[in-house]
């Protein structure tokens, strides 16, 4: 049966001072990471010119998602506070170490991959903490707060590449990497200002003596049973899997390489093109966040159709067409991910959100990890255009999933799927 919601949604998140402080620190952190996601691959391209190295480096991010179920079980058991500051500190230390090695002018692959992996691990810990902490920090409008934070994340992804485009000629790649390290401090300052997830209340079912407490594995299995029972969440997540494969960070690395190598764009031009594409992503995210009622099926159908068409159309020999397709592609990708995030907060109990995020990160992390491993193989064997055809065909599988799930979407024992995702009453 659908979870009842008693939250009051008459106060928009942007009118909450506590939310504004938290969102500011979160945005600063995301801005640094957005610059890092574009700047580091470009830096590696300058050093190696290798798509394989860029793709393997990009694979580190989805590889960390394989740990998400355990991270989610830990935050569900001990609360989100356990990961927020430790994750930020791990990111900061690893980023500073990476930058110090880069100052020598010679980065070997082993320290590069190890330190980049630690940066990603710290980021995954921090995300697990703050995402599961949203309902406790902003109980009056948890779903809309989550959606606004998603929109701010997309905004940072617009500003980050622009920072790279403007900064690469002024401070170079190393300066941009130091900028990323500095932004890890912002959420720590927010924590010191007193804006952080509340301490977990004592619940006998959770805080029982350690000898009688079930294992984390048991917690994960129990959470999975709860998640599987909520068909609306499962259908959305399963339908989105092929789109995750065709739009993950490995695909972003390929697009950066394609513009840089195939079209001969400058680093500033590539960063600007990514920023323009992310403006579309912001539009998609804001549209979902601002709507009082959202139909997940409709959003997924549009996302699958437009993203598939965009990937095939990118093969047209025109840079303008390629960038235009990137805008359409990232617009629908952002709308799809916003719906996926909101529906978890809306339809699942708060005490299982951490495990839900972790399990879906694991499920989605597999295709995200597979893409950067397969893309260099396809490109090396069949060429760059074949990669776009391959990704377009993969994205099209979501249309088959929709055709399979659509007749079974509604459950007579549940309310309609096309009910508000952002609250039980329209958002004011």
């Amino acid at each position: 049966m659908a979870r009842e919601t008693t939250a009051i949604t008459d106060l928009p998140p942007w009118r909450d001072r506590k939310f504004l402080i938290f969102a500011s620190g979160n945005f600063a952190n995301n801005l640094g990471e957005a610059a890092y996601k574009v700047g580091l691959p470009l830096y590696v391209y300058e050093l190696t010119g290798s798509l394989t190295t860029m793709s393997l480096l990009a694979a580190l991010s989805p590889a960390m998602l394989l740990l998400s179920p355990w991270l989610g079980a830990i935050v569900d058991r001990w609360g989100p506070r356990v990961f927020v500051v430790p994750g930020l500190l791990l990111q900061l230390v690893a980023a500073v170490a990476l930058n110090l090695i880069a100052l020598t002018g010679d980065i070997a692959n082993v320290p590069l991959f190890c330190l980049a992996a630690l940066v990603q691990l710290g980021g995954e810990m921090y995300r697990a903490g703050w995402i599961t902490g949203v309902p406790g920090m902003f109980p009056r409008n948890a779903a809309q707060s989550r959606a606004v934070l998603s929109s701010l994340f997309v905004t940072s992804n617009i500003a980050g590449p622009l920072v790279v485009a403007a900064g690469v000629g002024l401070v170079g790649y190393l300066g941009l990497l130091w900028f990323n390290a500095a932004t890890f401090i912002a959420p720590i300052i927010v924590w010191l200002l007193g804006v952080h997830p509340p301490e977990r209340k004592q619940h006998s079912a959770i805080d029982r003596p350690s000898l009688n407490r079930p294992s984390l594995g048991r917690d994960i299995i129990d959470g999975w049973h709860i998640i599987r029972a909520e068909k609306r969440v499962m259908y959305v997540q399963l339908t989105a899997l092929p789109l995750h494969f065709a739009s993950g960070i490995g695909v972003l690395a390929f697009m950066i390489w394609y513009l840089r190598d195939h079209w001969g764009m400058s680093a500033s031009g590539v960063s600007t093109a990514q920023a323009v594409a992310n403006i579309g992503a912001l539009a998609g995210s804001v549209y979902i966040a601002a709507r009082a009622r959202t139909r997940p099926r409709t959003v997924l159908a549009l996302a699958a159709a437009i993203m598939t068409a965009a990937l095939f159309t990118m093969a047209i020999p025109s840079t303008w067409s390629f960038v235009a397709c990137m805008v359409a592609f990232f617009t629908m990708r952002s709308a799809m991910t916003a719906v996926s995030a909101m529906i978890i907060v809306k339809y699942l109990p708060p005490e299982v959100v951490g495990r839900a995020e972790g399990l879906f990160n694991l499920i989605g992390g597999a295709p995200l990890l597979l893409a950067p491993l397969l893309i260099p193989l396809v490109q090396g064997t069949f060429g760059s255009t074949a990669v776009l055809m391959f990704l377009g065909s993969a994205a099209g599988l979501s249309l088959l999933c929709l055709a399979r799930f659509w007749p079974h979407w509604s459950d007579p024992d549940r309310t309609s799927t096309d009910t508000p995702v952002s609250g039980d009453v329209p958002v004011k």
Side-chain angles (χ1 to χ4, degrees):
M1 184 172 291
R3 174 170 60 93
E4 294 184 1
T5 300
T6 58
I8 302 172
T9 57
D10 59 347
L11 179 66
W14 47 86
R15 294 186 181 180
D16 184 346
R17 178 178 174 274
K18 180 180 176 182
F19 177 83
L20 292 178
I21 294 174
F22 177 82
S24 298
N26 188 259
F27 176 80
N29 177 262
N30 289 332
L31 179 63
E33 290 202 23
Y36 174 83
K37 283 191 297 186
V38 177
L40 185 62
L42 287 172
Y43 183 43
V44 171
Y45 178 85
E46 291 293 327
L47 294 176
T48 67
S50 169
L51 174 61
T52 300
T53 303
M54 294 172 67
S55 296
L56 291 176
L57 197 63
L60 293 175
S61 179
M64 292 301 113
L65 297 180
L66 303 180
L67 301 175
S68 289
W70 303 99
L71 300 180
I74 289 172
V75 296
D76 279 345
R77 176 176 290 189
W78 286 291
R81 295 163 63 103
V82 71
F83 276 150
V84 175
V85 173
L88 290 167
L89 291 177
L90 178 59
Q91 280 187 303
L92 179 61
V93 171
V96 169
L98 176 62
N99 295 350
L100 291 175
I101 293 177
L103 285 175
T104 66
D106 183 21
I107 304 181
N109 282 341
V110 172
L112 172 65
F113 278 87
C114 289
L115 292 172
L118 289 177
V119 171
Q120 295 295 338
L121 175 59
E124 193 59 33
M125 292 168 62
Y126 170 60
R127 281 187 291 273
W130 79 254
I131 287 175
T132 54
V134 165
M137 287 189 291
F138 315 110
R140 302 184 69 180
N141 41 36
Q144 194 177 22
S145 295
R146 180 72 175 89
V148 173
L149 290 168
S150 293
S151 297
L152 288 173
F153 171 76
V154 178
T155 304
S156 71
N157 282 340
I158 297 171
L162 292 177
V163 169
V164 174
V168 68
L170 297 175
V171 299
Y173 293 113
L174 287 179
L176 293 171
L177 292 178
W178 281 110
F179 167 74
N180 173 53
T183 61
F184 296 142
I185 300 173
I188 297 177
I189 295 174
V190 170
W191 181 287
L192 295 176
L193 290 174
V195 181
H196 46 65
E199 292 187 28
R200 178 178 291 281
K201 296 179 180 179
Q202 297 293 315
H203 297 293
S204 59
I206 297 175
D207 300 304
R208 64 187 67 178
S210 58
L211 291 178
N212 298 324
R213 179 180 291 162
S215 66
L216 289 177
R218 182 73 257 174
D219 278 353
I220 294 172
I221 293 173
D222 291 343
W224 174 246
H225 291 322
I226 297 173
I227 295 164
R228 281 191 61 188
E230 182 48 78
K231 300 298 184 185
R232 291 167 292 191
V233 175
M234 288 298 299
Y235 288 155
V236 168
Q237 300 296 333
L238 292 176
T239 301
L241 278 181
L243 299 180
H244 288 313
F245 174 86
S247 64
I249 191 169
V251 178
L252 174 60
F254 169 76
M255 289 182 179
I256 291 174
W257 176 87
Y258 192 81
L259 289 171
R260 193 79 171 86
D261 191 86
H262 185 81
W263 293 112
M265 272 193 180
S266 66
S268 295
V270 173
S271 300
T272 303
Q274 184 61 50
V276 171
N278 284 340
I279 292 175
L282 176 63
S285 181
V286 169
Y287 176 77
I288 298 300
R291 283 184 61 83
R293 296 177 182 273
T294 301
R295 290 180 169 84
R297 282 185 297 184
T298 304
V299 173
L300 286 173
L302 287 173
I306 293 176
M307 291 172 69
T308 300
L311 286 166
F312 283 119
T313 308
M314 283 178 184
I316 295 176
S318 166
T319 54
W320 292 107
S321 174
F322 189 91
V323 174
C325 288
M326 283 181 66
V327 173
F329 182 85
F330 285 105
T331 298
M332 299 315 301
R333 175 183 180 270
S334 182
M336 178 266 295
T337 54
V339 163
S340 298
M342 291 174 67
I343 204 169
I344 289 176
V345 176
K346 163 63 185 172
Y347 291 123
L348 292 176
E351 60 270 16
V352 81
V353 167
R355 281 166 287 176
E357 291 279 355
L359 286 165
F360 287 133
N361 280 343
L362 175 62
I363 295 171
L368 287 175
L369 179 60
L370 190 60
L373 300 179
L374 292 179
I375 286 173
L377 295 178
V378 175
Q379 191 276 331
T381 305
F382 302 105
S384 302
T385 302
V387 174
L388 297 172
M389 300 296 102
F390 170 64
L391 294 173
S393 300
L397 295 176
S398 283
L399 294 172
L400 297 180
C401 292
L402 277 170
R404 171 67 178 83
F405 295 140
W406 199 289
H408 308 288
W409 199 280
S410 297
D411 187 327
D413 294 331
R414 303 175 187 273
T415 55
S416 171
T417 304
D418 297 336
T419 52
V421 171
S422 54
D424 283 340
V425 296
V427 177
K428 299 180 181 178

